[in-house]
Amino acid sequence: MKVSLNWLKEYIDLNQSPEKVGEILTSIGLEVEGMEEVESIKGGMRGIVIGFVKECGRHPNADRLSVTKVDIGQGEDLQVVCGANNIAAGQKVLVATVGTTLYSAEGEAWTIKKGKIRGETSEGMICSEDEVGLGDDHSGIVVLPESAPVGTAAGDYYEIETDYVYEIGLTPNRSDATNHIGVARDLAAYLKINENNTSEIHLPSTESFQVDNHDLALDVVVENEEACPRYSAVSIKGITVKESPEWLKKRLKAIGVRPISNIVDITNFILHELGQPLHAFDQDKIKGNKVIVKTLPSGSSFVTLDEVERKLSDEDLMICNGASEGMCIGGVFGGIGSGVTDNTKNIFLEAAHFNAKWIRRSSMRHNLRTDAAKVFEKGSDPNLTVYALKRAALLIQELAGGEIASEITDLYPRPIQAAEVRVRYARINKLIGENIPAATVKSILDALDMDILEESDTELKITIPTNKADVIREVDVIEEILRIYGFNKVPIPAYIQSAISVGSYPDANDVRNNLGNYLAGNGFNEMMALSLSESRYYTELATNLMDADNLVYVNNTSNVQLDIMRPNMLISGLEAILHNQNRQQTNIKLFEFGRTYQYGSDKEIVEVDRLSVFLCGDRYGESWLDHGKKRTSDFYTLKAYVHHILQKVGLEGYQSSPAEAPAFAYGMKYHRGPQMIAEFGKVQPGILKHLDIKGEVFYAQFNWKALMKAASKNVVSVTELNKYPATSRDLALVIDNSVKFDDIAAIANKVGKKLIKNINLFDIYENEAQLGEGKKSYAVSFTFEDFTKTLSVKEVDKVMNRLISEYEQKLNANIRR
């Protein structure tokens, strides 16, 4: 939020420097994220003075140019070459002297230099409106009145205003500080308590407001009082829509609001002055001479001011005409058919208090983050609407003319009373950590306009102003007291108390970082996806990823599409892959640490921590060294990473079986009994097609609890290098296609567990004509090693003979000799 210092000074006497005011704002919880010096005219007209044209003659070498002698009050006349057709001797003009910086309409700076123009010396420039920032006219130079004093700086003559604008990081709870008067109230309270400044807030007077006639009276009906607890309005006739005066445009421009017209600018001015959003309707466009505040059926169409047709929810509060046609999404955005235009003569001016939850939902639902919506969703002051209407109506009469043509309509069936809160002195001192005198506490409350209803030696009962929607508890009041008392006054303890904490081994973050570093070192990028997902992925896919009854639904008003907690890590990763593919990134390696959610058999929500890994595209980029080699990631690429991850946490001795998850076209599952450790494989092509993902995707998910359990038992051991040589043997086995390498390895580990240190599958051969139908040939190498001696050929052959016998008996293998 932007706050103008000059604007603040209209309501509070401030003698402090801009920097000091910024420090005070930060100290009272309105953190200043930046301060900018702003001038009503860029450059402040520095270097531009009022001059008198003493002589003006035609340029000898260019008929369209004039050579002038200009007195700028410095004793020596300047010769200036000018191309304006309205230049003449005897005029008072604006002269940009040598060295002056001017700005183009696009904001680009350029500097006036002494030079020659067609052979004649020019020592400055006589300026037009657009060249000095006074307007857009470039048809001729600015001619000043005869009374303009020669030699006077143009900035002084035009009273150029220098302002300081603060960028405040307003927290969502500060409903009272969304406007300049709210900020001024905080400043006044701080100065009163900390600097003995007794000045009061100067609120604009509305005493001159009066109803001129009842020519435009109309009916107002509020059907939804929950969404609209208070609705106030007034009609004004005979206005003239035109450009706003300079003072109003300066105020709005300073805080980044673009001036549009006097009526629209006044509503924006009131919003930023008082924190009360207003909306002006062209009353001649209101059908039936009636306004109805209601909701419309879900799916109703409504065209907003940005010319976008939107489908309404039955929870969007609408301001409708007598025909129940929407004119405005209440508190959010106006409609295209009812707003003020240059031809508007009569207006219906609305000031309402809307339910914060209703406005927030509508604003987020339609992605309309307007200034009005941001105020309403924080909680506007319900007791400000009539004052804001009177203030706006008087400004409209001043700047646009017109007559107040109706009484103020004020529908407020259940007035919102000031909240009453009890505050204990002991609680104040305990939470703040400082013993604040009771008199100081009461002074702070008085400065914050919190009236004391009851008091005792131990506590106070106070009322909370209705502009502080977030102050409802004792702790909230204590926070307000601390803000004004001053955070810096609370002493910092002279010593620090700490306790030694002992955590379980291993630390989960250490394990996570270790695995993350391994994956990142192998070219993976870590991703962080939302824990929310879309139920349509699980209800519309032909591949039934999981039982819809197990989905955990959430009421997400901010984004209705994200309506479930994610039941697996797959969809999040596939969305990330699609995002990258759409940006010409095809070789993708991702991993994520996250959590999944679903209902268990007992209908309790089960949360499981997981690690997911995704591969898509090539394993590595193109290189002349790898010409002709296969680079595409495949199942075995993923399997290698899975094994390395399990090895890094020391997880061994698990069972393997085919993957059961419907997300996999094929894959493997590692488990210990019913506990899943890891499941990985190729993602079903149908799922990829539904998401419009190109190519194959390989996906693995790990049960983090199982990894941590293994890591807790993983003890690093050191063994000396074997001084005795190793030997190896190869076998070629013709086996059924149903036999897996794991079956071969398991038998080898059982038979030669003391001597066989490594088993490796180095070739697969398939040929029905030579091997027979349903057969394949595996070439397997076995590495033998003994740490106590050199193995003899006899000892190795003995083990190999046992292996051959086991393979022939248990796997029906034919040993190719």
Side-chain angles (χ1 to χ4, degrees):
M1 185 184 85
K2 292 187 176 181
V3 174
S4 158
L5 179 59
N6 287 351
W7 201 341
L8 285 175
K9 288 180 178 179
E10 293 184 10
Y11 316 114
I12 179 175
D13 299 327
L14 287 173
N15 300 317
Q16 291 76 10
S17 68
E19 292 76 15
K20 179 62 177 177
V21 172
E23 291 175 8
I24 295 173
L25 289 173
T26 297
S27 73
I28 57 178
L30 300 174
E31 184 175 357
V32 175
E33 298 176 343
M35 183 181 77
E36 179 185 7
E37 183 178 352
V38 177
E39 292 168 315
S40 55
I41 292 180
K42 192 165 186 178
M45 287 190 167
R46 283 183 286 275
I48 302 174
V49 296
I50 297 174
F52 175 70
V53 182
K54 298 173 71 174
E55 298 176 14
C56 180
R58 287 292 149 202
H59 193 292
N61 301 320
D63 291 340
R64 296 178 62 184
L65 299 178
S66 301
V67 180
T68 67
K69 293 289 184 180
V70 184
D71 176 14
I72 62 170
Q74 295 182 3
E76 187 175 339
D77 296 341
L78 299 180
Q79 178 171 298
V80 180
V81 177
C82 180
N85 57 16
N86 66 329
I87 183 73
Q91 292 175 335
K92 299 284 184 72
V93 295
L94 295 175
V95 182
T97 56
V98 173
T100 299
T101 300
L102 299 179
Y103 297 87
S104 68
E106 292 75 28
E108 295 180 1
W110 53 289
T111 304
I112 300 296
K113 298 178 181 178
K114 181 178 179 178
K116 287 191 175 183
I117 301 176
R118 297 289 183 92
E120 292 291 328
T121 299
S122 184
E123 301 173 297
M125 187 177 80
I126 301 174
C127 303
S128 61
E129 272 191 9
D130 67 330
E131 289 165 337
V132 294
L134 289 173
D136 300 323
D137 188 5
H138 192 70
S139 61
I141 61 168
V142 176
V143 179
L144 301 173
E146 292 184 6
S147 59
V150 173
T152 301
D156 295 335
Y157 180 77
Y158 282 101
E159 298 180 348
I160 302 301
E161 183 179 89
T162 299
D163 194 3
Y164 292 87
V165 175
Y166 304 99
E167 184 72 43
I168 292 178
L170 194 64
T171 53
N173 62 313
R174 292 303 306 278
S175 60
D176 59 318
T178 58
N179 56 88
H180 282 75
I181 287 181
V183 174
R185 282 194 170 106
D186 263 9
L187 280 171
Y190 177 90
L191 295 173
K192 185 176 182 180
I193 298 302
N194 295 280
E195 299 189 10
N196 296 319
N197 188 325
T198 58
S199 62
E200 300 292 333
I201 294 294
H202 317 306
L203 292 178
S205 174
T206 59
E207 290 182 0
S208 60
F209 176 87
Q210 64 178 16
V211 177
D212 297 309
N213 54 66
H214 298 85
D215 295 348
L216 296 182
L218 52 68
D219 293 332
V220 178
V221 176
V222 177
E223 292 186 3
N224 192 325
E225 294 177 358
E226 177 196 352
C228 180
R230 187 175 191 179
Y231 192 89
S232 307
V234 70
S235 298
I236 306 173
K237 79 169 189 175
I239 64 163
T240 301
V241 178
K242 56 185 179 181
E243 186 178 354
S244 296
E246 281 302 315
W247 72 263
L248 179 53
K249 291 194 289 185
K250 285 179 185 177
R251 288 287 174 263
L252 296 178
K253 285 180 180 178
I255 60 171
V257 177
R258 181 175 63 90
I260 297 174
S261 68
N262 52 357
I263 302 301
V264 176
D265 293 349
I266 287 169
T267 61
N268 284 329
F269 179 82
I270 296 299
L271 170 63
H272 292 282
E273 178 186 58
L274 297 174
Q276 174 60 58
L278 303 177
H279 192 81
F281 299 89
D282 187 328
Q283 185 152 338
D284 295 331
K285 298 177 183 178
I286 301 177
K287 293 182 181 179
N289 204 36
K290 186 176 184 179
V291 170
I292 308 171
V293 184
K294 59 185 293 187
T295 55
L296 295 176
S298 182
S300 300
S301 295
F302 179 66
V303 181
T304 45
L305 278 173
D306 54 1
E307 300 183 357
V308 174
E309 182 176 347
R310 304 178 188 275
K311 296 297 182 182
L312 299 176
S313 162
D314 56 7
E315 292 185 349
D316 291 326
L317 184 67
M318 300 297 296
I319 313 301
C320 303
N321 58 28
S324 291
E325 297 169 342
M327 300 188 295
C328 171
I329 303 177
V332 179
F333 207 41
I336 197 167
S338 61
V340 173
T341 67
D342 292 343
N343 300 319
T344 297
K345 296 299 178 185
N346 305 313
I347 62 170
F348 176 77
L349 190 62
E350 163 198 287
H353 171 65
F354 296 117
N355 185 300
K357 293 179 181 178
W358 279 71
I359 301 304
R360 169 74 177 178
R361 290 167 185 163
S362 291
S363 173
M364 297 303 296
R365 185 180 297 118
H366 298 290
N367 195 26
L368 292 170
R369 305 298 295 138
T370 59
D371 288 340
K374 291 175 183 177
V375 170
F376 278 128
E377 69 186 23
K378 285 180 172 65
S380 65
D381 185 352
N383 296 316
L384 186 64
T385 58
V386 172
Y387 174 75
L389 274 181
K390 290 180 178 180
R391 168 74 167 144
L394 290 173
L395 282 173
I396 289 171
Q397 285 187 300
E398 177 186 342
L399 305 183
E403 300 174 346
I404 308 299
S406 75
E407 296 288 345
I408 289 180
T409 299
D410 187 26
L411 303 180
Y412 197 14
R414 289 182 290 277
I416 297 173
Q417 304 298 329
E420 297 180 0
V421 178
R422 290 189 179 275
V423 187
R424 295 162 290 173
Y425 291 120
R427 187 66 172 161
I428 294 172
N429 296 333
K430 182 177 181 180
L431 288 184
I432 293 178
E434 172 79 345
N435 290 324
I436 303 176
T440 303
V441 170
K442 288 190 281 187
S443 296
I444 293 174
L445 295 174
D446 178 66
L448 289 169
D449 296 323
M450 295 183 181
D451 297 329
I452 298 175
L453 300 178
E454 300 174 7
E455 64 176 299
S456 68
D457 294 338
T458 58
E459 67 178 23
L460 300 169
K461 182 180 180 181
I462 61 174
T463 60
I464 310 299
T466 51
N467 69 328
K468 294 181 180 291
D470 66 305
V471 183
I472 55 177
R473 304 166 300 170
E474 180 184 38
V475 69
D476 300 326
V477 177
I478 295 172
E479 181 184 350
E480 293 291 292
I481 293 171
L482 176 58
R483 284 196 310 105
I484 304 305
Y485 178 73
F487 292 100
N488 294 336
K489 286 186 178 180
V490 179
I492 298 174
Y495 60 92
I496 298 175
Q497 292 179 327
S498 63
I500 297 175
S501 60
V502 178
S504 57
Y505 176 83
D507 182 75
N509 287 328
D510 289 342
V511 177
R512 176 173 170 162
N513 289 335
N514 187 22
L515 294 180
N517 290 337
Y518 161 73
L519 290 167
N522 280 276
F524 284 82
N525 290 298
E526 184 172 7
M527 59 172 280
M528 295 179 67
L530 292 174
S531 293
L532 298 171
S533 187
E534 300 182 41
S535 60
R536 64 183 179 87
Y537 290 128
Y538 304 91
T539 58
E540 296 178 7
L541 277 171
T543 302
N544 186 14
L545 291 178
M546 68 172 297
D547 190 343
D549 292 337
N550 292 335
L551 298 176
V552 179
Y553 284 86
V554 293
N555 183 21
N556 184 5
T557 58
S558 298
N559 190 330
V560 294
Q561 284 77 31
L562 299 174
D563 57 345
I564 62 169
M565 303 298 290
R566 63 176 176 183
N568 59 43
M569 307 280 279
L570 174 65
I571 296 298
S572 302
L574 294 181
E575 287 177 328
I577 289 173
L578 177 63
H579 180 87
N580 281 274
Q581 286 188 347
N582 289 340
R583 287 154 181 80
Q584 289 78 50
Q585 302 298 316
T586 55
N587 302 326
I588 303 164
K589 301 168 80 173
L590 302 172
F591 72 95
E592 180 186 10
F593 295 96
R595 184 172 291 181
T596 61
Y597 310 80
Q598 57 181 290
Y599 283 110
S601 57
D602 56 356
K603 291 304 176 183
E604 292 291 326
I605 297 176
V606 178
E607 302 182 24
V608 180
D609 290 316
R610 298 190 186 278
L611 164 62
S612 62
V613 176
F614 294 87
L615 287 175
C616 180
D618 292 342
R619 290 179 288 171
Y620 45 82
E622 290 182 305
S623 171
W624 64 273
L625 289 170
D626 300 316
H627 182 68
K629 293 184 179 180
K630 182 176 180 294
R631 294 184 292 113
T632 307
S633 298
D634 56 21
F635 173 78
Y636 295 101
T637 309
L638 179 65
K639 183 178 180 182
Y641 287 120
V642 170
H643 282 199
H644 289 156
I645 289 171
L646 297 180
Q647 286 172 6
K648 289 191 77 67
V649 297
L651 205 157
E652 299 176 345
Y654 46 81
Q655 301 162 285
S656 63
S657 58
E660 298 175 351
F664 295 113
Y666 58 81
M668 296 288 295
K669 181 174 76 169
Y670 294 158
H671 57 99
R672 284 176 173 167
Q675 185 187 48
M676 193 273 285
I677 296 170
E679 194 167 18
F680 58 96
K682 177 184 173 182
V683 177
Q684 287 280 9
I687 298 175
L688 303 181
K689 184 178 180 180
H690 184 85
L691 272 74
D692 201 24
I693 292 175
K694 302 173 183 64
E696 296 178 325
V697 175
F698 297 91
Y699 160 64
Q701 66 171 354
F702 297 84
N703 184 325
W704 184 250
K705 184 177 180 181
L707 295 185
M708 285 299 299
K709 184 176 180 181
S712 67
K713 299 177 181 178
N714 186 21
V715 179
V716 177
S717 59
V718 179
T719 305
E720 65 177 332
L721 294 174
N722 192 357
K723 60 184 179 182
Y724 299 103
T727 186
S728 63
R729 293 285 191 276
D730 298 339
L731 275 183
L733 299 90
V734 178
I735 51 180
D736 294 336
N737 285 336
S738 60
V739 177
K740 301 187 293 291
F741 173 70
D742 287 347
D743 300 327
I744 296 171
I747 291 173
N749 286 325
K750 183 177 180 181
V751 171
K753 59 184 176 181
K754 291 183 179 181
L755 299 180
I756 296 179
K757 302 302 181 184
N758 187 47
I759 308 153
N760 180 46
L761 174 65
F762 64 87
D763 187 41
I764 300 175
Y765 179 68
E766 295 177 317
N767 188 321
E768 284 192 6
Q770 295 182 3
L771 302 178
E773 185 178 354
K775 297 290 186 179
K776 61 185 176 182
S777 174
Y778 274 10
V780 183
S781 67
F782 304 88
T783 301
F784 293 82
E785 194 174 357
D786 192 327
F787 274 77
T788 62
K789 63 181 179 179
T790 300
L791 290 172
S792 66
V793 173
K794 197 174 200 180
E795 289 173 308
V796 173
D797 287 345
K798 181 179 179 181
V799 176
M800 288 300 297
N801 289 332
R802 285 187 61 197
L803 277 178
I804 292 171
S805 176
E806 290 287 317
Y807 289 147
E808 289 176 337
Q809 293 178 24
K810 295 184 177 179
L811 301 182
N812 195 27
N814 180 22
I815 309 302
R816 300 175 66 189
R817 304 178 188 275

